[in-house]
Amino acid sequence: MAAMKLEVHIGKLKLKNPVMTASGTFGYGEEYSEFVDLNRLGAVVVKGLSLEPKQGNPPPRVVETASGMLNAIGLQNIGIERFISEKMPFLRRYDTAVIVNFFGDSVDEYAAAAERLSGVDGIHGLEMNISCPNKQEGWCIFGTDPKVTARVVGEVRKRTSLPLIVKLSPNVTDISLMARAAEDAGADAVSLINTLTGMAIDIRTKKPRLANRTGGLSGPAVKPVAIRMVYEVFRAVKVPIIGMGGIMSGDDAVEFLLAGASAVAVGTANFVDPGATTAILDGIIDYMEKEGTGEIGSLTGTAHAG
Amino acid sequence: MSSSRYFRAEIRENRPLNGNHNLLTLANLDPMREPQPGQFYMLQVSKGSDPLLKRAFSLFRRTPEGIQILYRIKGKGTSILRDMKEGAALDLLGPLGNGYPMPSDDQSPLVIAGGIGIASVFSLVEKLSKKAFVFYGARLEEELFMTDELGKIYKELVVCTDDGSCGVRGTVVDVLHDFVKNRDGIQRPVIYACGPHVMLAAIAKAAEAYSIKAYASLEEHMACGVGACLGCAVKTTSGYKRVCKEGPVFDSQEIVWQP
């Protein structure tokens, strides 16, 4: 068999393979570098950043649920400036794409953050978080009202020429509408799903188990929902899709590709096995060998045929 | 890439100490890194997805063949662990976090354990080789563990129980107050404590009043164990810090203790 082609394209960004890390589960890359050869990853997507550092939510911030976990970190981060000065020098040493996840509290903040990150040596792409479930009320409008989504994505688009991925919320009635709004406003790709808003209550204290009361559900529990949404979005947009939600194995990743994803992101699995990302890449390669798949791209959307 | 902080270990013994506490003896199957007292491990207790995450446990003691962990059977994960037999293999991540800073030669270490907190400080007492004054409290006599073993390694031991069924009646905090008030000539005391949050908060308060340096080992819900998820945040005087990375041992005056 000829050499297997694992390369994928996200807009003008070329990734050596389809396996990325999901923002918020891989720190700034450094935290996992002793367990994973970062050079083997398609991309490292770093913890979401804002112009100013954020404190985040009070603890408890995480709680385990059946085949998953709820988190309400509250977008704690060190801020864009410290990220650039303290974390980027480390990431530049690796031959992997660095994608910076970012957010703002207003359209202006989104646009300013995107502009600041553009042109920084070693940053290859941006992922806009318009869908964190752990922000105060009102913020979710960026990810749940297609008109607002179009406006914020449009403003960011004007301020950056980096490949722009928009990360979509699953906490909407029709995710394909949101995907189309992002595409029409200039997104180069969409990533989905962010976490599903959920809650757990301690029956002894009779109180919510997270201090924030609600949190975002991730892990294997959400995978069927994520697969369905990737499948729907594939029919609605032409831009590439980065699929995520409960990927634990190469087989799970392949399922996302077949549903319509061009690349995948590994999140909660990193907490279960710190070497999950490269194990998943190996699993995809095994599948391709067994199936005689020469090019990873030929898997994308295959489940839609017929 | 193989890593010495992610390794497999085999269960050599999983010994019940009472109805709801076990002592787990593990032999590492892969090379492992040398742990320090106060550090912890994340154990994967299931191969499936429920429970999904690793569980954090203090290093109880380093043994020639591996490590021991003293754990309380509390929920789904620890119930699965209790039922695991000799010869079963587990994935471990660790040693993680920062251990207890060792005292200097002219300091007198006061090691305070409340309940299962003994799991974290036992190896410290061992390392301090008969220098430690140990205050060890539990609700009941049946919840005091390894007192025979402790007997070989401490300088002085005061045991207390809430009901007085063993040792002094009262809490370790009471014992600490008595000790500090009635013992002249204890040179430069420094406190090392692990136990329930309320106990640690009371010790922090006492330590501040007596101007004694105190280190407390904290617990928080944790997902990754390596500083990535920011799940195990604890409020400090300089913002949130991660129990898994900046901790689990903190200077007690740095923590913003919750009432």
Side-chain angles (χ1 to χ4, degrees):
Chain A
M1 197 172 87
M4 202 180 276
K5 279 194 186 154
L6 290 170
E7 258 177 42
V8 299
H9 294 264
I10 305 295
K12 65 186 176 190
L13 176 64
K14 192 173 84 178
L15 306 182
K16 65 172 80 165
N17 68 60
V19 177
M20 314 174 25
T21 62
S23 176
T25 66
F26 210 69
Y28 300 109
E30 235 173 331
E31 292 85 345
Y32 279 96
S33 59
E34 90 177 74
F35 307 108
V36 176
D37 178 2
L38 302 183
N39 294 309
R40 286 200 67 207
L41 301 178
V44 169
V45 183
V46 301
K47 171 75 182 161
L49 292 159
S50 47
L51 286 170
E52 298 299 323
K54 297 268 182 210
Q55 278 276 319
N57 289 327
R61 291 176 169 187
V62 292
V63 57
E64 186 166 348
T65 57
S67 298
M69 63 178 281
L70 288 165
N71 86 79
I73 308 301
L75 295 174
Q76 178 181 341
N77 77 91
I78 59 173
I80 286 174
E81 294 309 324
R82 269 187 66 197
F83 168 76
I84 293 170
S85 61
E86 294 174 22
K87 305 296 180 185
M88 276 310 296
F90 172 84
L91 288 167
R92 279 187 203 110
R93 305 210 305 255
Y94 292 90
D95 175 26
T96 185
V98 174
I99 295 176
V100 175
N101 182 289
F102 73 100
F103 66 94
D105 284 333
S106 64
V107 173
D108 287 347
E109 275 185 33
Y110 270 102
E115 185 169 319
R116 177 66 188 96
L117 291 163
S118 302
V120 174
D121 180 35
I123 297 179
H124 302 92
L126 300 180
E127 181 181 56
M128 253 179 101
N129 179 5
I130 56 167
S131 50
C132 179
N134 297 324
K135 292 284 293 183
Q136 65 277 36
E137 269 173 52
W139 195 80
C140 67
I141 197 163
F142 292 117
T144 56
D145 180 336
K147 288 197 201 80
V148 183
T149 301
R151 202 172 123 235
V152 69
V153 174
E155 289 304 313
V156 166
R157 180 74 287 172
K158 286 182 205 160
R159 309 279 275 275
T160 183
S161 55
L162 283 173
L164 179 64
I165 302 160
V166 176
K167 187 166 183 177
L168 301 176
S169 171
N171 304 307
V172 292
T173 309
D174 184 356
I175 196 166
S176 56
L177 280 181
M178 310 308 302
R180 219 175 288 137
E183 178 182 49
D184 291 346
D188 294 304
V190 288
S191 54
L192 59 143
I193 59 174
N194 204 325
T195 54
L196 284 154
T197 310
M199 193 179 202
I201 294 168
D202 185 324
I203 61 167
R204 278 154 303 163
T205 64
K206 303 183 173 67
K207 291 195 169 85
R209 295 181 59 168
L210 293 170
N212 190 54
R213 300 192 296 275
T214 60
L217 180 66
S218 65
V222 310
K223 199 190 81 178
V225 177
I227 294 283
R228 186 265 294 178
M229 289 187 166
V230 168
Y231 189 89
E232 285 178 2
V233 168
F234 183 75
R235 296 185 165 228
V237 299
K238 293 191 178 63
V239 293
I241 297 166
I242 297 152
M244 68 188 87
I247 295 176
M248 303 295 289
S249 66
D251 289 358
D252 290 341
V254 168
E255 214 177 319
F256 275 88
L257 300 174
L258 299 177
S262 295
V264 294
V266 177
T268 302
N270 293 306
F271 307 154
V272 179
D273 170 5
T277 42
T278 47
I280 287 164
L281 174 60
D282 291 338
I284 295 171
I285 293 169
D286 279 353
Y287 174 88
M288 289 174 70
E289 274 170 2
K290 283 192 196 110
E291 293 287 318
T293 313
E295 254 188 78
I296 188 95
S298 68
L299 295 174
T300 297
T302 306
H304 293 261
Chain B
M1 194 166 36
S2 68
S3 164
S4 58
R5 285 212 299 172
Y6 189 49
F7 64 99
R8 284 172 314 132
E10 186 182 278
I11 297 178
R12 286 292 156 83
E13 195 185 21
N14 194 359
R15 176 155 57 100
L17 299 177
N18 68 4
N20 59 345
H21 291 79
N22 274 28
L23 181 67
L24 183 69
T25 303
L26 296 166
N28 53 304
L29 300 173
D30 305 313
M32 64 172 224
R33 209 176 284 179
E34 244 354 92
Q36 297 302 320
Q39 287 190 301
F40 70 97
Y41 291 87
M42 303 283 286
L43 268 66
Q44 193 71 38
V45 299
S46 100
K47 296 277 180 220
S49 67
D50 190 19
L52 180 67
L53 301 172
K54 293 180 153 53
R55 263 61 184 159
F57 298 96
S58 295
L59 164 75
F60 176 69
R61 178 163 56 180
R62 174 77 163 109
T63 62
E65 59 178 358
I67 57 167
Q68 285 183 320
I69 279 163
L70 174 61
Y71 66 99
R72 177 169 52 179
I73 297 135
K74 199 180 164 190
K76 198 189 274 180
T78 44
S79 298
I80 292 171
L81 188 57
R82 172 197 54 206
D83 295 338
M84 292 180 88
K85 304 278 180 249
E86 281 171 37
L90 291 166
D91 287 336
L92 274 85
L93 192 57
L96 302 169
N98 297 308
Y100 297 102
M102 293 303 281
S104 55
D105 286 345
D106 63 341
Q107 284 180 314
S108 305
L110 314 183
V111 178
I112 307 177
I116 190 69
I118 192 69
S120 161
V121 297
F122 186 92
S123 60
L124 174 68
V125 176
E126 200 169 46
K127 190 169 174 183
L128 289 168
S129 55
K130 301 198 173 177
K131 271 192 73 184
F133 296 85
V134 182
F135 311 150
Y136 179 19
R139 287 183 309 150
L140 313 160
E141 186 177 10
E142 311 75 282
E143 291 177 358
L144 289 164
F145 307 109
M146 316 305 279
T147 43
D148 291 349
E149 300 268 332
L150 272 173
K152 299 169 197 156
I153 55 177
Y154 62 78
K155 180 178 174 77
E156 255 185 68
L157 173 68
V158 182
V159 162
C160 59
T161 46
D162 288 359
D163 62 355
S165 57
C166 183
V168 178
R169 180 178 185 147
T171 69
V172 286
V173 183
D174 303 328
V175 173
L176 173 66
H177 282 297
D178 282 352
F179 186 87
V180 175
K181 282 175 188 155
N182 301 324
R183 285 293 191 100
D184 296 330
I186 292 290
Q187 205 183 12
R188 297 187 61 207
V190 53
I191 293 170
Y192 299 91
C194 186
H197 191 87
V198 283
M199 173 198 121
L200 296 177
I203 287 171
K205 203 172 156 188
E208 190 180 11
Y210 298 125
S211 302
I212 300 174
K213 183 94 171 164
Y215 296 101
S217 178
L218 303 190
E219 268 193 319
E220 190 46 75
H221 292 255
M222 197 174 279
C224 75
V226 297
C229 75
L230 312 182
C232 61
V234 59
K235 197 166 194 176
T236 73
T237 50
S238 49
Y240 285 116
K241 290 195 174 175
R242 299 164 293 185
V243 169
C244 75
K245 199 81 179 179
E246 285 81 36
V249 177
F250 290 93
D251 182 326
S252 72
Q253 301 311 311
E254 195 190 349
I255 301 299
V256 179
W257 297 97
Q258 305 301 318

